[in-house]
Amino acid sequence: MPFVTRFAPSPTGPLHLGHAYSALLAHDMARAAGGRFLLRIEDIDRTRARAQWEDQIYEDIRWLGLTWDAAPLRQSDRLPAYHAALERLWERGLLYACDCTRRDIQSALTAPQEGGDPAFGPDGLIYPGTCRNKPRPEKMPESAALRLDMARAIATLNTDTISYEETGAHPQTVITPTPDLISTVGDIILSRRDFLGSYHLSVILDDAHQNITHVVRGQDISEATQIHVLLQQLLGLPTPCYHHHRLIRDATGKRLAKRDDARAIAKYRADGASPADIRRMVGL
Ligand code: GLU
């Protein structure tokens, strides 16, 4: 079986030890399988992405000794593909425009008639559906947030479950009953008001475009994978194998974040660490 994987950082800050682990692991798995290791720059959020961080990504992973097998794919070059996929979903009646602010959502969910505590899904509060039944224009609006109508999406799939192969710490076939997605995920945003597309939409379109067979990424994203499989099925795309790896944590057990500059690869390098030291630090 071919093995094509990718490392897909967002250029919104310095790469830290957690990114190093993800990139090294994906690269080593590809090389061990005689497969391909690709790069993708997830710069869809133009308000946060910076050219400076993209340059630093190439520098850091080159320094780590990694090589990649094709020109990197940039999400900012893929907007027409995201637009086309949104149009397909819009034409099938699976999207609706939403102009709720975070505060609108919060107050709808805490209104006394709702009862119980508001539920959280992989994207935060589960949307209460305020805009779902508003009149729909025939043409997809160009500068509105677009949500997936989860109940309709599931109804078009004609299947009670979706599943994917997980090869990480606990190899298994992960099966989700589709009706559960209404209460555990809800009507997620597939295109944001401030930029075309969303993480969930672009990641599945790009994985398919790059012919990714194995997605190697952190455990923190594993909850979103059921959303990715659902979208792949809606758009007729293949589902890769998923390998969700352990997270690199700081001394207090907290997962590293972009703002943890102290653990930036560039900082260790400036302090005299070698790529072999970095491998040791992340337990490889
Ligand atoms: N861009 C995401 C990140 O930097 C990775 C997404 C993925 O691997 O699917 O965390």
Side-chain angles (χ1 to χ4, degrees):
M1 183 182 177
F3 190 108
V4 185
T5 192
R6 54 26 172 217
F7 175 54
S10 310
T12 54
L15 296 188
H16 55 57
L17 283 185
H19 296 107
Y21 178 57
S22 211
L24 288 163
L25 184 67
H27 175 270
D28 291 359
M29 285 172 75
R31 295 292 171 251
R36 285 158 61 78
F37 173 71
L38 304 179
L39 265 190
R40 182 162 79 230
I41 303 297
E42 300 213 322
D43 61 349
I44 185 177
D45 183 351
R46 306 304 289 163
T47 58
R48 293 171 59 225
R50 298 278 176 276
Q52 160 210 354
W53 297 125
E54 184 176 333
D55 293 343
Q56 182 80 52
I57 289 170
Y58 301 133
E59 196 179 316
D60 287 347
I61 54 181
R62 239 182 236 120
W63 175 76
L64 284 171
L66 308 188
T67 51
W68 51 97
D69 300 315
L73 183 71
R74 273 220 201 92
Q75 291 193 326
S76 52
D77 291 333
R78 296 265 302 145
L79 301 186
Y82 306 154
H83 192 264
L86 289 166
E87 290 236 297
R88 280 176 61 197
L89 295 171
W90 180 268
E91 277 157 23
R92 288 160 66 190
L94 302 183
L95 299 181
Y96 61 88
C98 173
D99 56 14
C100 290
T101 61
R102 201 166 298 196
R103 183 178 296 178
D104 294 336
I105 297 173
Q106 220 134 22
S107 42
L109 286 169
T110 47
Q113 68 272 20
E114 289 293 327
D117 287 334
F120 282 84
D123 282 359
L125 281 171
I126 305 234
Y127 183 63
T130 319
C131 293
R132 191 186 299 133
N133 296 317
K134 287 189 179 161
R136 265 176 98 261
E138 198 178 316
K139 250 178 88 52
M140 183 173 86
E142 290 296 329
S143 57
L146 301 174
R147 287 188 182 273
L148 180 71
D149 185 327
M150 186 59 84
R152 273 184 187 232
I154 289 167
T156 65
L157 279 187
N158 219 357
T159 166
D160 293 339
T161 57
I162 53 169
S163 65
Y164 63 91
E165 293 307 314
E166 167 68 58
T167 61
H170 306 286
Q172 59 181 311
T173 304
V174 180
I175 301 174
T176 309
T178 45
D180 286 5
L181 295 169
I182 298 173
S183 55
T184 59
V185 174
D187 293 355
I188 45 164
I189 294 267
L190 284 197
S191 188
R192 297 184 36 164
R193 204 192 325 250
D194 40 357
F195 58 86
L196 185 74
S198 66
Y199 163 63
H200 299 308
L201 183 79
S202 53
V203 83
I204 60 117
L205 291 171
D206 294 346
D207 282 340
H209 181 73
Q210 291 187 292
N211 296 312
I212 301 300
T213 61
H214 292 75
V215 171
V216 179
R217 63 186 180 189
Q219 189 63 48
D220 52 330
I221 311 180
S222 67
E223 249 202 290
T225 305
Q226 53 188 345
I227 301 175
H228 299 168
V229 177
L230 173 85
L231 293 174
Q232 285 152 1
Q233 296 205 0
L234 284 174
L235 291 164
L237 303 173
T239 291
C241 275
Y242 286 88
H243 184 104
H244 293 104
H245 60 69
R246 67 182 162 84
L247 301 177
I248 304 295
R249 299 181 184 277
D250 67 12
T252 68
K254 200 166 60 60
R255 170 168 81 83
L256 299 187
K258 282 267 162 62
R259 58 191 171 280
D260 291 319
D261 287 7
R263 289 179 178 73
I265 299 171
K267 174 86 172 44
Y268 284 108
R269 178 181 173 187
D271 290 347
S274 68
D277 294 330
I278 302 285
R279 277 188 177 267
R280 255 192 308 277
M281 280 183 234
V282 297
L284 280 172

